[in-house]
């Protein structure tokens, strides 16, 4: 049976979302490793499978440029942002897997992280990126 390690990089101000995520158990056959920093660090970005970036109180475009250009191929990027900041993303939206609008309830954080884990698991087990899987799922609905 296979076993897969997923490295999550949590960047931004420490917050309750990150604490909830770290407390959640991984899916069967997976382990989670969490690395954290207050601001984006190139070495951590380059090694992460999934990047969760809290972009509430930072220069959102500057941070995103570093996260996008420094991530390894196939790494997923999820932003935590207030709805009022999304317009600042502009042409970078296609590089982002998901945006979690904050603040969120604890239950919503758990739901979103579980969904993130399932998409990541599917991508790892099929060899296809999560964006491909979402697109194929949408085609079935149409």
């Amino acid at each position: 049976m296979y076993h897969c390690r997923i490295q999550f990089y949590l960047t931004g101000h420490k917050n309750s979302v990150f604490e909830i995520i770290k407390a959640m158990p991984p899916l069967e056959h997976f382990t989670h490793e969490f690395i954290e920093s207050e601001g984006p660090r190139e070495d951590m970005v380059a090694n992460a499978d999934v990047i969760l970036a809290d972009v509430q109180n930072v220069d959102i475009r500057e941070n995103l440029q570093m996260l996008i250009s420094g991530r390894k191929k196939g790494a997923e990027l999820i932003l935590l942002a207030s709805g009022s900041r999304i317009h600042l993303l502009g042409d970078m939206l296609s590089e982002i897997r998901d945006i979690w609008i904050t603040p969120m309830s604890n239950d919503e954080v758990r739901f979103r992280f579980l969904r993130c884990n399932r998409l990541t698991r599917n991508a790892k087990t099929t060899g296809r990126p999560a964006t491909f899987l979402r697109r194929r799922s949408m085609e079935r609905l149409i």
Side-chain angles (χ1 to χ4, degrees):
M1 188 54 75
Y2 71 92
H3 189 84
C4 186
R5 179 186 64 86
I6 305 292
Q7 186 173 76
F8 291 91
Y9 175 39
L10 312 175
T11 180
H13 297 290
K14 290 189 185 254
N15 58 59
S16 62
V17 172
F18 290 166
E19 296 309 312
I20 292 167
I21 287 170
K22 291 188 300 186
M24 290 185 65
L27 298 176
E28 186 177 9
H29 306 296
F30 283 78
T31 57
H32 293 167
E33 178 183 344
F34 295 98
I35 54 175
E36 298 179 71
S37 68
E38 190 75 15
R41 290 189 29 195
E42 289 182 20
D43 58 327
M44 293 181 175
V45 170
N47 291 315
D49 298 303
V50 178
I51 302 165
L52 287 111
D54 182 345
V55 293
Q56 298 291 1
N57 301 310
V58 297
D59 180 328
I60 195 167
R61 292 196 61 84
E62 180 181 318
N63 272 257
L64 274 179
Q65 287 171 347
M66 192 275 205
L67 294 170
I68 291 167
S69 66
R71 68 183 170 173
K72 68 183 179 183
K73 184 178 177 166
E76 300 287 352
L77 176 59
I78 299 170
L79 300 184
L80 284 69
S82 65
S84 64
R85 301 206 74 206
I86 293 180
H87 74 280
L88 300 171
L89 302 175
D91 57 335
M92 297 179 169
L93 285 171
S94 64
E95 299 293 330
I96 300 166
R97 174 168 150 192
D98 201 359
I99 301 171
W100 297 1
I101 304 298
T102 56
M104 289 185 278
S105 70
N106 293 353
D107 288 336
E108 185 177 358
V109 172
R110 287 183 195 95
F111 168 79
R112 288 182 169 276
F113 191 64
L114 180 59
R115 186 177 68 170
C116 167
N117 279 332
R118 288 178 178 157
L119 287 171
T120 301
R121 176 193 59 199
N122 290 345
K124 293 284 186 187
T125 58
T126 64
R128 295 182 176 146
T131 51
F132 174 82
L133 294 169
R134 277 199 312 264
R135 192 167 38 249
R136 296 291 296 172
S137 296
M138 290 303 292
E139 288 172 0
R140 283 189 215 129
L141 294 174
I142 298 175

